[in-house]
Amino acid sequence: MKPLDPRLLRHARAARRYIVTTTVTGAATAGLVVGQAVLISLALAPVIAGEAGIGQVWPLVALLALVVAARGLVLLIQEALAHRAATRTIIELRRQVLEHAAALGPRWQAEHGPDTATLVTRGLEDLEPYFTRYLPQLLLAATVTPATVLVLFTQDWPSTVAVILTIPLIPIFMILIGRMTVRLSTERLEAMERLGSQVLDLIAGLPTLKALGREEGPARRVRALGRSYRLATMSTLRMAFLSGAVLEFITTLSVAIIAVEVGFRLLFGQLDLTTALLVLMIAPEAYQPIRQVGFHFHASANGVAAAETVFEVLQTPAPRRGSHSAPDLSRATIVITDLSVVSRGSLAPHGLSALIPPGRITALVGPSGAGKTTTTQVLLGLLPADEGGVSVRLPDGERVELEQIDPVSWWAQISWVPQRPAIVPGTLLDNILGESRAGEPDGRRPVPEALEAAARATGLTEVVASLPQGWHTVIGQGGIGLSLGQRQRLALTRALVSPAPLVVMDEPTAHLDAASEAHVLDGVRALSQAGRTVVVIAHRPALIALADEVIEVTAGGAAPDCSAEGDGRDRVDLGAASGGLRRAAPPAEAASRPGPDAAREEDR
């Protein structure tokens, strides 16, 4: 990133305001620095020469005190504005990255999700030194240094020549050292992203690794990445200390040259004492901002590297979004026409054509990797189709393409039930109805009758009865305190209470035993009886037998034999045509409730 990258000003409004205020405070600082040097020289020279006493220069001393106080006040304002601007800019960039990452879709998130999570948490925090240290000094170098050099030129041009000849030494060494610092900072950010990604993956799969006794291998990998990150950080700090020492040496040597030159000229009577003091006071101020830019560049290099990554994310083109309002899905038919999506080097799904009628249960079936989840992502408007597409057909025959529909209005009519539902810390009731309203006594909000009826339909009432505080029992992040089956019942109840006419489910009976599966099937049946359109990814025969329509999804044009059985009496004909749509047999009661001989899976 450039010292003052226009992209930062374009993406962060707080940064633009901060630049304006910092420019004003920088100009004020330049004026106060020059005024302070002039007052010191005018006050000290007569006293040292014996031409005046302390009482005679007292007005100058009082004015000097006011200038020093004003300079301190400007510095205080600058620091306060810098910290506020840094915090607001980080918040703005974090929000934009999250929103853009969500707009890029699940495929991009699956590839870059861990790196992005590290970026928006620890990575962006490194921008604070850039705003609080580096950027103010950069603007001071653009205001204070020219002002002091101009004053020197009006008072003593030989000293000005010395300053002009020695000042370029600082940028030259800054460039030489800065190139290495940027490389080290980039390596540090990459090491931090690798470490963050590995830790997130380890946390996500820790229960499985622990169950298989394989947690030691990833732990060693995390320790190795931690050492790599520590070494990269120490390399950056070592370079910062060394560069600081080099810049300090160059500045000290340059000021010493001017001091010696002024001293000899003062000794030989070629310079008066007032001008000599003014030169000695102003010369260090000319070097100070540039030296501080080089010194604080290393503190801000990590933030600059993070900002570069932010801009890479924000400049990634997102899929085009429509602007038409979504039609009423309770009466519309969803039409899938020759849908193909490129996935892992093949088409999954491939050439899928089907109808999803309103108010019915439609099951997506097929082997693993056929593209069932990808199909639901296209239906949800999260993933664009590479070939074909999805449209909505209204009762009057009018059709609207999904890519032309505003995604916000589309999502407002959809309830999504994944395998692992999103459950936030809070009470069971809050997770269904939303956050508790302010002003309700003890946070005990009443339970609506519609929720009670939905809970009875999904079997959630049994879960509520087993909890110590019923609906007001607090559960943890991700549903800690509930089993997988209980979490699915919670998600189904939430979908049943929701007014969304379309409910999309991703294998809601996966990892459940027979009893929990029966409750989930009851919830799916209740959704259908409520007139909702249900699209469900299904593998188990009982869930397939419950469906009114069955869509076979295949990859690469293949048509594997995916026939499934219900209870042994009714067979669901999935057909052999790729992407075919078949009418399912009427589900029998026994098919929706597996018997004792059915294979049971642990309700983890």
Side-chain angles (χ1 to χ4, degrees):
M1 192 172 77
K2 301 175 182 178
L4 186 56
D5 200 316
R7 293 176 297 178
L8 184 62
L9 304 181
R10 185 167 61 251
H11 289 290
R13 182 181 304 174
R16 296 196 293 268
R17 293 195 298 264
Y18 174 65
I19 294 299
V20 173
T21 56
T22 304
T23 303
V24 173
T25 56
T29 300
L32 292 173
V33 165
V34 173
Q36 177 179 313
V38 171
L39 289 174
I40 290 176
S41 60
L42 291 177
L44 286 181
V47 175
I48 294 174
E51 298 174 358
I54 297 295
Q56 294 175 295
V57 298
W58 177 249
L60 294 176
V61 174
L63 187 58
L64 176 62
L66 292 177
V67 170
V68 172
R71 189 174 177 182
L73 180 61
V74 171
L75 180 61
L76 177 63
I77 295 174
Q78 171 65 46
E79 289 285 334
L81 293 176
H83 284 283
R84 292 181 182 179
T87 302
R88 292 172 181 171
T89 300
I90 291 172
I91 292 174
E92 287 186 47
L93 293 179
R94 182 176 290 145
R95 176 182 54 79
Q96 292 180 33
V97 169
L98 290 175
E99 291 178 351
H100 195 71
L104 289 173
R107 183 167 296 178
W108 186 91
Q109 295 166 17
E111 183 178 354
H112 302 280
D115 294 343
T116 306
T118 304
L119 173 66
V120 299
T121 51
R122 293 194 58 189
L124 279 176
E125 292 298 330
D126 290 333
L127 269 177
E128 184 172 359
Y130 175 82
F131 278 93
T132 58
R133 296 289 178 263
Y134 177 70
L135 199 54
Q137 293 300 326
L138 183 66
L139 294 176
L140 287 177
T143 54
V144 174
T145 298
T148 52
V149 171
L150 181 61
V151 172
L152 278 176
F153 181 75
T154 59
Q155 298 297 317
D156 185 37
W157 69 264
S159 299
T160 307
V161 172
V163 170
I164 294 175
L165 291 177
T166 53
I167 274 184
L169 295 176
I170 299 177
I172 290 174
F173 279 91
M174 283 170 52
I175 294 172
L176 295 176
I177 301 173
R179 291 182 180 273
M180 187 176 297
T181 303
V182 170
R183 179 178 59 82
L184 293 175
S185 298
T186 304
E187 292 176 356
R188 174 184 175 274
L189 179 61
E190 292 175 353
M192 182 173 64
E193 289 180 346
R194 287 195 301 269
L195 177 61
S197 300
Q198 191 74 26
V199 170
L200 289 175
D201 290 342
L202 178 60
I203 293 175
L206 190 58
T208 303
L209 293 172
K210 190 71 175 178
L212 299 176
R214 301 295 300 274
E215 70 275 9
E216 289 299 326
R220 288 193 295 270
R221 174 62 176 164
V222 170
R223 283 195 292 269
L225 290 173
R227 286 194 297 270
S228 175
Y229 173 65
R230 184 170 63 252
L231 292 175
T233 302
M234 294 307 298
S235 298
T236 305
L237 292 176
R238 182 169 59 253
M239 184 57 59
F241 286 126
L242 291 177
S243 63
V246 170
L247 295 177
E248 190 70 38
F249 173 76
I250 294 174
T251 303
T252 303
L253 184 62
S254 300
V255 174
I257 292 174
I258 296 175
V260 170
E261 175 261 337
V262 168
F264 274 110
R265 292 172 61 209
L266 185 63
L267 179 63
F268 290 103
Q270 298 178 359
L271 193 67
D272 62 278
L273 182 58
T274 302
T275 304
L277 290 175
L278 179 61
V279 170
L280 292 178
M281 292 292 172
I282 288 185
E285 298 291 348
Y287 294 99
Q288 179 71 7
I290 300 180
R291 185 182 69 83
Q292 289 296 321
V293 167
F295 180 76
H296 291 300
F297 173 78
H298 304 276
S300 65
N302 298 328
V304 170
E308 285 284 1
T309 308
V310 166
F311 298 142
E312 290 178 6
V313 174
L314 296 179
Q315 291 171 359
T316 303
R320 291 188 303 174
R321 302 295 186 184
S323 57
H324 291 77
S325 179
D328 184 5
L329 295 182
S330 63
R331 302 183 301 111
T333 300
I334 299 176
V335 182
I336 303 175
T337 307
D338 294 328
L339 178 63
S340 296
V341 180
V342 177
S343 177
R344 295 185 292 272
S346 63
L347 295 176
H350 174 256
L352 178 63
S353 295
L355 299 177
I356 301 177
R360 300 176 69 83
I361 302 175
T362 302
L364 302 179
V365 300
S368 297
K372 299 183 297 298
T373 301
T374 303
T375 302
T376 60
Q377 290 175 351
V378 174
L379 289 176
L380 293 171
L382 300 175
L383 193 66
D386 294 297
E387 297 179 9
V390 177
S391 60
V392 180
R393 188 173 66 195
L394 303 178
D396 58 3
E398 181 185 357
R399 291 178 61 165
V400 181
E401 297 296 331
L402 178 58
E403 62 182 12
Q404 299 176 350
I405 296 176
D406 177 25
V408 176
S409 64
W410 179 256
W411 296 331
Q413 300 190 61
I414 300 177
S415 181
W416 165 240
V417 183
Q419 290 188 37
R420 298 184 181 274
I423 300 176
V424 298
T427 66
L428 195 68
L429 188 61
D430 291 342
N431 268 278
I432 296 178
L433 300 181
E435 295 183 1
S436 180
R437 297 185 295 269
E440 291 176 342
D442 301 328
R444 297 299 180 96
R445 58 201 302 189
V447 181
E449 294 182 4
L451 177 55
E452 293 281 8
R456 286 193 296 270
T458 60
L460 187 63
T461 51
E462 300 177 9
V463 179
V464 175
S466 65
L467 297 175
Q469 298 183 27
W471 287 104
H472 304 287
T473 301
V474 177
I475 53 181
Q477 177 70 35
I480 296 177
L482 301 177
S483 68
L484 247 178
Q486 292 171 340
R487 297 173 195 176
Q488 286 291 0
R489 293 187 226 177
L490 169 62
L492 284 171
T493 305
R494 187 162 52 192
L496 192 56
V497 173
S498 167
L502 175 61
V503 181
V504 183
M505 302 182 182
D506 184 4
E507 299 188 57
T509 59
H511 315 299
L512 302 183
D513 59 16
S516 297
E517 182 185 32
H519 286 295
V520 172
L521 294 175
D522 288 340
V524 175
R525 188 181 295 108
L527 287 169
S528 177
Q529 293 172 352
R532 317 282 280 280
T533 303
V534 180
V535 178
V536 57
I537 297 176
H539 277 124
R540 292 194 176 185
L543 185 56
I544 297 174
L546 187 64
D548 301 307
E549 314 286 344
V550 176
I551 299 176
E552 181 184 2
V553 183
T554 58
D561 184 10
C562 300
S563 57
E565 296 183 0
D567 61 347
R569 296 176 294 176
D570 297 318
R571 181 179 298 273
V572 182
D573 181 16
L574 303 182
S578 171
L581 175 63
R582 297 291 184 269
R583 182 81 59 183
E589 183 67 22
S592 64
R593 296 186 182 275
D597 57 339
R600 300 177 62 88
E601 294 183 35
E602 181 183 1
D603 186 7
R604 295 190 294 267

